[in-house]
Amino acid sequence: MSSRLLCICAWFYIPFMILSWNVCGLGSSSKRKAINKYIKDFNVIVSFIIETKLSCSDSIVYSLWHDQNIKWFNIEAQGRSGGLLAMWDEDIFRVDSIEYSGSWISLFGSFVNDAFDCVITGYYGVGSRAERAASCSELTELKHVFSDYPWFLIGDFNKTLSKTDRSSGLLDRKGASEFQTFINGCELVECPLVNHRFTWFRSGSMSRLDRAFTHTQCLSHFSSLKLIRLDHGLSDHCPLIVGKEQINWGWKPFKCLNCSLMAPSFQNTLKVFWQEIVHDIPGDFQVIRRISALRLKLGQWNKTEFGNQDWALQNIFYSAP
């Protein structure tokens, strides 16, 4: 496979990432900036912002996700409480229809790159026990009506399943039993929380109130799905990401195209760069720092010598018959 084809394949690789966060109010600019950063850093394709506490608009959505292809749908807050906002990248996940109620939004659609149909639901377990039971009953009915669609369910359930889900060890047994019955009735499998134990913090109390579930068909299609908890601080609840677990393997290699190696000036340029780097970074055991500096120099040289290759490759792709 040619280096050019490899670049095109890499450019079209689509990661699977869903963001869910109970922000406890979206009015703060710091929270909006944080959401924007999470979406960029994790290549999020679908996002649910819970407890917005405001009326959403295009300007608010675009402050969270700077992309003209972003679509959104929301359940309005009731005064200064509640509110649920769903956003998605239409270029990657195309929504055909939307079902919703007072505490959940379900997006029926398919992934453009492989035509995988599914339902992605954001949930907010707000209100009394009776109200939460009613919302679970609605979702159970939805699951059975649309049984052919694999399902992702993520959000703030405001319930725990076991004593270990609270730092206090206390458990509402009836609530836990009702929650487990809902999970079993919808044939859901929980996405494991890989890096932490709790998702909610307040005044020394800690609980696992935010979770993600899916069907086995989704696990087969998107292998190694995990629930990743990000740091808290701006809200009582931690942001959650459903996707592949990110592992820090240390220093990462850099890539270059064959055309760079074939350039007549490449070998001499490489020698000159390396001599400059060794002079600028003296001493023993400096290989990693020197290679990192070499990567930056070669990247700058590559742009000067060949121009913007990403832009050129996109033009080649779109101009192909």
Side-chain angles (χ1 to χ4, degrees):
M1 183 180 290
S2 69
S3 57
R4 173 173 291 172
L5 184 55
L6 282 171
C7 286
I8 292 176
C9 290
W11 182 60
F12 278 98
Y13 170 72
I14 302 300
F16 177 81
M17 292 290 177
I18 300 175
L19 167 68
S20 174
W21 188 17
N22 185 332
V23 296
C24 299
L26 193 55
S28 167
S29 61
S30 58
K31 292 180 181 179
R32 297 186 193 184
K33 289 178 181 178
I35 294 170
N36 186 279
K37 187 176 188 302
Y38 295 146
I39 289 172
K40 288 180 179 178
D41 290 351
F42 290 91
N43 295 315
V44 170
I45 58 173
V46 177
S47 176
F48 296 100
I49 307 303
I50 301 168
E51 203 173 351
T52 59
K53 296 186 178 181
L54 49 71
S55 179
C56 293
S57 62
D58 284 340
S59 61
I60 290 176
V61 170
Y62 294 146
S63 72
L64 305 175
W65 202 330
H66 301 308
D67 193 317
Q68 62 180 358
N69 294 314
I70 292 308
K71 305 296 182 182
W72 63 278
F73 181 86
N74 80 300
I75 296 174
E76 292 285 349
Q78 301 299 315
R80 295 292 296 170
S81 63
L84 177 59
L85 169 65
M87 302 179 290
W88 62 94
D89 188 336
E90 186 76 3
D91 283 344
I92 301 175
F93 184 71
R94 188 157 299 153
V95 174
D96 299 318
S97 63
I98 300 173
E99 297 287 340
Y100 66 95
S101 185
S103 59
W104 54 267
I105 298 174
S106 289
L107 306 176
F108 289 74
S110 62
F111 288 88
V112 175
N113 63 321
D114 60 5
F116 180 73
D117 297 329
C118 66
V119 184
I120 304 178
T121 299
Y123 179 81
Y124 179 27
V126 68
S128 65
R129 171 178 285 179
E131 289 172 321
R132 293 197 298 271
S135 65
C136 287
S137 178
E138 292 169 349
L139 288 174
T140 301
E141 182 178 354
L142 189 74
K143 186 268 175 186
H144 290 297
V145 171
F146 299 96
S147 58
D148 293 337
Y149 284 82
W151 194 14
F152 291 97
L153 175 62
I154 187 171
D156 170 16
F157 291 86
N158 203 23
K159 292 182 180 180
T160 55
L161 284 170
S162 67
K163 291 182 178 180
T164 59
D165 287 342
R166 291 189 186 275
S167 58
S168 64
L170 298 176
L171 177 65
D172 174 6
R173 295 185 180 277
K174 183 176 181 181
S177 177
E178 292 171 348
F179 193 10
Q180 190 63 61
T181 299
F182 164 70
I183 295 168
N184 294 341
C186 293
E187 301 176 337
L188 293 168
V189 178
E190 184 165 11
C191 297
L193 184 63
V194 297
N195 54 347
H196 294 89
R197 182 177 169 188
F198 303 115
T199 65
W200 177 88
F201 300 81
R202 181 183 293 173
S203 302
S205 298
M206 299 176 286
S207 300
R208 185 175 177 182
L209 303 179
D210 310 86
R211 315 178 93 103
F213 301 90
T214 188
H215 284 151
T216 54
Q217 301 99 306
C218 298
L219 292 175
S220 299
H221 191 79
F222 300 101
S223 60
S224 305
L225 283 182
K226 306 290 184 183
L227 182 62
I228 303 165
R229 195 212 82 180
L230 307 182
D231 293 335
H232 69 95
L234 296 175
S235 168
D236 294 341
H237 295 261
C238 299
L240 301 181
I241 297 283
V242 173
K244 295 194 174 185
E245 181 181 5
Q246 295 190 340
I247 301 174
N248 183 3
W249 298 103
W251 291 86
K252 299 175 178 61
F254 63 90
K255 300 176 287 185
C256 66
L257 296 175
N258 288 340
C259 59
S260 298
L261 304 177
M262 296 167 62
S265 61
F266 178 77
Q267 291 190 11
N268 184 60
T269 301
L270 181 62
K271 290 178 182 178
V272 171
F273 284 165
W274 188 253
Q275 289 171 356
E276 292 174 353
I277 290 168
V278 171
H279 178 268
D280 294 339
I281 308 177
D284 299 327
F285 309 110
Q286 298 292 335
V287 174
I288 291 178
R289 289 186 61 199
R290 289 171 179 171
I291 290 177
S292 180
L294 178 62
R295 173 184 177 275
L296 295 176
K297 282 182 172 288
L298 286 177
Q300 293 169 356
W301 170 82
N302 189 68
K303 286 184 178 180
T304 302
E305 190 76 12
F306 298 102
N308 190 326
Q309 293 173 339
D310 290 336
W311 179 84
L313 287 170
Q314 291 183 34
N315 277 351
I316 291 172
F317 177 84
Y318 284 120
S319 62

Coordinates of all heavy atoms in Angstrom, one line a residue, residues 209-265:
L209 N -23.2 7.7 40.2 CA -24.6 7.9 39.7 C -24.6 8.0 38.2 O -25.7 7.8 37.7 CB -25.0 9.3 40.3 CG -25.1 9.4 41.8 CD1 -25.5 10.8 42.2 CD2 -25.9 8.4 42.5
D210 N -23.5 8.1 37.6 CA -23.4 8.3 36.1 C -22.9 7.0 35.5 O -21.8 6.5 35.9 CB -22.5 9.5 35.8 CG -22.9 10.7 36.5 OD1 -22.4 10.9 37.7 OD2 -23.7 11.5 36.0
R211 N -23.6 6.5 34.5 CA -23.2 5.2 34.0 C -23.5 5.1 32.5 O -24.1 6.0 31.9 CB -24.0 4.0 34.7 CG -24.0 4.2 36.2 CD -24.9 3.0 36.8 NE -24.0 1.9 37.2 CZ -23.7 1.7 38.4 NH1 -24.1 2.5 39.4 NH2 -23.0 0.6 38.7
A212 N -23.0 4.1 31.8 CA -23.3 3.8 30.4 C -23.6 2.4 30.2 O -22.9 1.5 30.8 CB -22.1 4.3 29.6
F213 N -24.6 2.1 29.3 CA -25.0 0.7 29.0 C -25.1 0.6 27.5 O -25.2 1.5 26.8 CB -26.3 0.4 29.7 CG -26.4 0.5 31.1 CD1 -26.7 1.7 31.7 CD2 -26.1 -0.6 32.0 CE1 -26.8 1.9 33.1 CE2 -26.1 -0.4 33.3 CZ -26.4 0.8 33.9
T214 N -25.0 -0.7 27.1 CA -25.2 -0.9 25.6 C -25.7 -2.4 25.4 O -25.8 -3.1 26.4 CB -23.8 -0.7 24.9 OG1 -24.1 -0.8 23.5 CG2 -22.8 -1.7 25.3
H215 N -25.9 -2.7 24.2 CA -26.3 -4.1 23.8 C -25.1 -4.8 23.3 O -24.1 -4.2 22.8 CB -27.4 -4.1 22.7 CG -28.7 -3.7 23.3 ND1 -29.7 -3.1 22.5 CD2 -29.3 -3.9 24.5 CE1 -30.8 -2.9 23.2 NE2 -30.6 -3.4 24.4
T216 N -25.2 -6.1 23.3 CA -24.0 -7.0 22.9 C -23.7 -6.7 21.4 O -22.5 -6.9 21.0 CB -24.3 -8.5 23.1 OG1 -25.6 -8.8 22.4 CG2 -24.5 -8.8 24.6
Q217 N -24.7 -6.4 20.6 CA -24.4 -6.1 19.1 C -23.4 -4.9 19.0 O -22.6 -4.9 18.1 CB -25.7 -5.8 18.4 CG -26.7 -6.9 18.4 CD -27.8 -6.6 19.4 OE1 -27.5 -6.4 20.6 NE2 -29.0 -6.6 19.0
C218 N -23.6 -3.9 19.9 CA -22.7 -2.8 19.8 C -21.3 -3.1 20.3 O -20.3 -2.7 19.7 CB -23.3 -1.6 20.7 SG -24.9 -1.0 20.1
L219 N -21.2 -4.0 21.3 CA -19.9 -4.4 21.8 C -19.2 -5.2 20.7 O -18.0 -5.2 20.6 CB -20.1 -5.3 23.0 CG -20.6 -4.6 24.3 CD1 -20.8 -5.6 25.4 CD2 -19.6 -3.5 24.7
S220 N -19.9 -6.0 19.9 CA -19.3 -6.8 18.8 C -18.8 -5.8 17.7 O -17.8 -6.1 17.1 CB -20.3 -7.8 18.3 OG -20.7 -8.7 19.3
H221 N -19.6 -4.8 17.5 CA -19.2 -3.9 16.4 C -18.1 -2.9 16.8 O -17.2 -2.7 16.0 CB -20.5 -3.1 15.9 CG -20.3 -2.3 14.7 ND1 -20.4 -2.9 13.4 CD2 -20.0 -1.0 14.4 CE1 -20.1 -2.0 12.5 NE2 -19.9 -0.8 13.1
F222 N -18.2 -2.4 18.0 CA -17.2 -1.5 18.5 C -16.5 -2.2 19.6 O -16.9 -2.2 20.8 CB -17.8 -0.2 19.0 CG -18.6 0.6 18.0 CD1 -19.9 0.6 17.9 CD2 -17.9 1.4 17.1 CE1 -20.6 1.3 17.0 CE2 -18.6 2.1 16.1 CZ -20.0 2.1 16.1
S223 N -15.4 -2.9 19.3 CA -14.7 -3.7 20.3 C -14.0 -2.8 21.4 O -13.7 -1.7 21.1 CB -13.6 -4.6 19.6 OG -12.7 -3.8 18.9
S224 N -13.9 -3.4 22.5 CA -13.1 -2.8 23.7 C -13.7 -1.5 24.1 O -12.9 -0.6 24.5 CB -11.6 -2.6 23.2 OG -11.1 -3.8 22.8
L225 N -15.0 -1.4 24.1 CA -15.6 -0.2 24.6 C -15.5 -0.1 26.2 O -15.6 -1.0 26.9 CB -17.1 -0.1 24.3 CG -17.5 0.3 22.9 CD1 -19.0 0.3 22.7 CD2 -16.9 1.6 22.4
K226 N -15.1 1.1 26.6 CA -14.9 1.4 28.0 C -15.6 2.7 28.4 O -15.9 3.5 27.5 CB -13.4 1.5 28.4 CG -12.6 0.3 28.0 CD -12.9 -0.9 28.8 CE -11.9 -2.0 28.4 NZ -12.2 -3.3 29.2
L227 N -15.9 2.9 29.7 CA -16.4 4.1 30.2 C -15.3 4.8 30.9 O -14.7 4.3 31.9 CB -17.6 3.9 31.1 CG -18.2 5.2 31.7 CD1 -18.9 6.0 30.6 CD2 -19.3 4.8 32.8
I228 N -14.9 6.0 30.4 CA -13.8 6.8 30.9 C -14.3 8.0 31.7 O -15.1 8.8 31.1 CB -12.9 7.2 29.8 CG1 -12.4 6.0 28.9 CG2 -11.7 8.0 30.3 CD1 -11.8 6.4 27.6
R229 N -13.9 8.1 32.9 CA -14.3 9.2 33.8 C -13.2 10.3 33.8 O -12.1 10.0 34.1 CB -14.5 8.7 35.2 CG -15.3 9.7 36.0 CD -14.9 9.7 37.5 NE -13.7 10.5 37.7 CZ -13.1 10.6 38.9 NH1 -13.6 10.0 40.0 NH2 -12.0 11.3 39.0
L230 N -13.6 11.5 33.4 CA -12.7 12.6 33.4 C -12.7 13.3 34.8 O -13.6 13.0 35.6 CB -13.0 13.6 32.3 CG -13.2 13.0 30.9 CD1 -13.5 14.1 29.8 CD2 -11.9 12.2 30.5
D231 N -11.8 14.2 35.0 CA -11.7 14.9 36.3 C -12.9 15.7 36.6 O -13.4 16.3 35.6 CB -10.4 15.7 36.3 CG -9.1 14.8 36.3 OD1 -9.2 13.7 36.7 OD2 -8.1 15.3 35.9
H232 N -13.2 15.9 37.8 CA -14.3 16.7 38.2 C -13.8 18.0 38.8 O -12.6 18.2 39.0 CB -15.2 16.0 39.3 CG -14.6 15.9 40.6 ND1 -14.7 16.7 41.6 CD2 -13.7 14.9 41.1 CE1 -14.0 16.3 42.7 NE2 -13.4 15.2 42.4
G233 N -14.7 19.0 39.1 CA -14.2 20.3 39.6 C -15.2 21.4 39.3 O -15.6 22.2 40.1
L234 N -15.7 21.4 38.0 CA -16.6 22.4 37.6 C -18.1 22.0 37.9 O -19.0 22.9 37.8 CB -16.5 22.7 36.1 CG -15.1 23.2 35.6 CD1 -15.1 23.3 34.1 CD2 -14.9 24.6 36.2
S235 N -18.3 20.8 38.2 CA -19.6 20.3 38.6 C -19.5 19.2 39.6 O -18.4 18.6 39.8 CB -20.3 19.7 37.3 OG -21.5 19.0 37.6
D236 N -20.6 18.9 40.3 CA -20.6 17.7 41.2 C -20.4 16.4 40.5 O -19.9 15.4 41.0 CB -21.9 17.6 42.0 CG -22.1 18.8 42.9 OD1 -21.1 19.5 43.2 OD2 -23.3 19.1 43.3
H237 N -20.8 16.4 39.2 CA -20.6 15.2 38.4 C -19.4 15.3 37.5 O -19.0 16.3 37.0 CB -21.9 15.0 37.5 CG -23.1 14.8 38.3 ND1 -23.7 13.5 38.4 CD2 -24.0 15.6 38.9 CE1 -24.8 13.6 39.1 NE2 -25.0 14.8 39.4
C238 N -18.8 14.1 37.2 CA -17.7 14.0 36.3 C -18.1 13.8 34.9 O -19.1 13.1 34.7 CB -16.8 12.8 36.7 SG -16.1 13.0 38.4
P239 N -17.4 14.4 33.9 CA -17.7 14.1 32.5 C -17.4 12.6 32.2 O -16.4 12.1 32.8 CB -16.8 15.0 31.8 CG -16.4 16.1 32.7 CD -16.4 15.4 34.1
L240 N -18.2 12.0 31.4 CA -18.0 10.6 31.0 C -17.8 10.5 29.5 O -18.4 11.2 28.7 CB -19.2 9.7 31.4 CG -19.6 9.7 32.9 CD1 -20.8 8.7 33.0 CD2 -18.4 9.2 33.7
I241 N -16.9 9.6 29.1 CA -16.6 9.3 27.7 C -16.8 7.9 27.5 O -16.1 7.0 28.1 CB -15.2 9.8 27.3 CG1 -15.0 11.3 27.4 CG2 -14.9 9.3 25.8 CD1 -15.6 12.1 26.3
V242 N -17.6 7.5 26.6 CA -17.7 6.1 26.1 C -16.9 5.9 24.9 O -17.1 6.6 23.9 CB -19.2 5.6 25.8 CG1 -19.2 4.3 25.2 CG2 -20.0 5.6 27.1
G243 N -15.9 5.1 24.9 CA -15.0 4.9 23.8 C -14.0 3.8 24.1 O -14.2 3.1 25.0
K244 N -12.9 3.8 23.3 CA -11.8 2.9 23.6 C -10.9 3.5 24.7 O -10.6 4.7 24.6 CB -11.1 2.6 22.3 CG -11.9 1.9 21.3 CD -11.0 1.3 20.2 CE -11.9 0.4 19.3 NZ -11.1 -0.2 18.3
E245 N -10.5 2.7 25.6 CA -9.7 3.1 26.7 C -8.4 3.7 26.1 O -7.7 3.1 25.3 CB -9.4 2.0 27.6 CG -8.5 2.4 28.8 CD -8.2 1.3 29.7 OE1 -8.6 0.1 29.4 OE2 -7.6 1.5 30.8
Q246 N -8.0 4.9 26.5 CA -6.8 5.5 26.1 C -5.7 5.2 27.0 O -5.7 5.4 28.2 CB -7.0 7.0 26.0 CG -8.0 7.5 25.0 CD -8.0 9.0 24.8 OE1 -7.5 9.7 25.6 NE2 -8.5 9.4 23.6
I247 N -4.6 4.5 26.5 CA -3.5 4.1 27.3 C -2.3 4.9 26.9 O -2.0 5.1 25.7 CB -3.2 2.6 27.0 CG1 -4.4 1.8 27.4 CG2 -2.0 2.2 27.8 CD1 -4.3 0.3 27.0
N248 N -1.6 5.4 27.9 CA -0.4 6.2 27.6 C 0.8 5.2 27.5 O 1.3 4.7 28.4 CB -0.1 7.2 28.8 CG 1.1 8.0 28.5 OD1 1.7 8.0 27.5 ND2 1.4 8.8 29.5
W249 N 1.2 5.1 26.2 CA 2.3 4.2 25.9 C 3.7 4.9 26.0 O 4.7 4.3 25.6 CB 2.2 3.5 24.6 CG 0.9 2.7 24.4 CD1 -0.2 3.0 23.8 CD2 0.7 1.4 25.0 NE1 -1.1 2.0 23.9 CE2 -0.6 0.9 24.6 CE3 1.6 0.5 25.7 CZ2 -1.1 -0.3 25.0 CZ3 1.1 -0.8 26.0 CH2 -0.2 -1.1 25.7
G250 N 3.7 6.1 26.5 CA 4.9 6.9 26.5 C 5.1 7.6 25.2 O 4.2 8.0 24.5
W251 N 6.4 7.9 24.9 CA 6.7 8.7 23.7 C 6.3 8.0 22.5 O 6.4 6.7 22.3 CB 8.2 8.9 23.7 CG 8.7 9.8 24.7 CD1 9.1 9.5 26.0 CD2 8.9 11.2 24.6 NE1 9.4 10.6 26.7 CE2 9.3 11.7 25.9 CE3 8.7 12.2 23.6 CZ2 9.6 13.0 26.1 CZ3 8.9 13.5 23.8 CH2 9.4 13.9 25.1
K252 N 5.7 8.7 21.6 CA 5.1 8.2 20.3 C 6.0 8.4 19.1 O 6.6 9.5 19.0 CB 3.7 8.8 20.1 CG 2.7 8.5 21.2 CD 1.4 9.2 21.0 CE 0.4 8.9 22.1 NZ 0.9 9.3 23.4
P253 N 6.1 7.5 18.2 CA 6.9 7.7 17.0 C 6.2 8.7 16.1 O 5.0 8.9 16.2 CB 7.0 6.3 16.4 CG 5.8 5.6 16.8 CD 5.5 6.1 18.2
F254 N 7.0 9.3 15.2 CA 6.3 10.2 14.2 C 6.5 9.5 12.8 O 7.3 8.7 12.6 CB 6.9 11.6 14.2 CG 8.4 11.7 13.9 CD1 8.8 11.8 12.6 CD2 9.4 11.6 14.9 CE1 10.1 11.9 12.3 CE2 10.7 11.6 14.6 CZ 11.1 11.8 13.2
K255 N 5.6 9.9 11.9 CA 5.5 9.3 10.6 C 5.9 10.4 9.5 O 5.8 11.6 9.8 CB 4.1 8.8 10.3 CG 3.6 7.8 11.3 CD 2.2 7.4 11.0 CE 1.2 8.5 11.4 NZ -0.2 8.0 11.2
C256 N 6.4 9.9 8.4 CA 6.6 10.8 7.3 C 6.3 10.0 6.0 O 6.2 8.8 6.0 CB 8.1 11.2 7.3 SG 9.3 9.9 7.0
L257 N 6.0 10.8 4.9 CA 5.7 10.2 3.6 C 7.0 9.8 2.9 O 8.0 10.3 3.1 CB 4.9 11.2 2.8 CG 3.5 11.6 3.4 CD1 2.9 12.7 2.5 CD2 2.6 10.4 3.5
N258 N 6.8 8.8 2.0 CA 7.9 8.3 1.2 C 8.5 9.5 0.3 O 9.7 9.5 0.0 CB 7.5 7.2 0.3 CG 7.3 5.9 1.1 OD1 7.8 5.8 2.2 ND2 6.6 5.0 0.5
C259 N 7.7 10.4 -0.1 CA 8.1 11.5 -0.9 C 9.2 12.3 -0.2 O 10.1 12.9 -0.8 CB 7.0 12.4 -1.4 SG 6.0 13.1 0.0
S260 N 9.1 12.4 1.1 CA 10.1 13.2 1.9 C 11.5 12.5 1.8 O 12.5 13.1 1.6 CB 9.7 13.3 3.4 OG 8.5 14.0 3.5
L261 N 11.5 11.1 1.9 CA 12.7 10.4 1.8 C 13.3 10.4 0.4 O 14.6 10.3 0.3 CB 12.5 8.9 2.2 CG 11.8 8.7 3.6 CD1 11.6 7.2 3.8 CD2 12.7 9.2 4.7
M262 N 12.5 10.6 -0.6 CA 13.0 10.6 -2.0 C 13.4 12.0 -2.4 O 14.0 12.1 -3.5 CB 11.8 10.1 -2.9 CG 11.4 8.6 -2.6 SD 9.9 8.2 -3.4 CE 10.4 8.4 -5.1
A263 N 13.2 13.0 -1.6 CA 13.6 14.3 -2.0 C 15.1 14.4 -2.1 O 15.8 13.9 -1.2 CB 13.1 15.4 -1.0
P264 N 15.7 15.0 -3.1 CA 17.2 15.0 -3.3 C 17.9 15.7 -2.1 O 19.0 15.3 -1.7 CB 17.4 15.8 -4.6 CG 16.1 15.7 -5.3 CD 15.0 15.6 -4.3
S265 N 17.2 16.7 -1.5 CA 17.9 17.4 -0.4 C 17.7 16.8 1.0 O 18.2 17.3 2.0 CB 17.4 18.9 -0.4 OG 16.0 18.9 -0.1

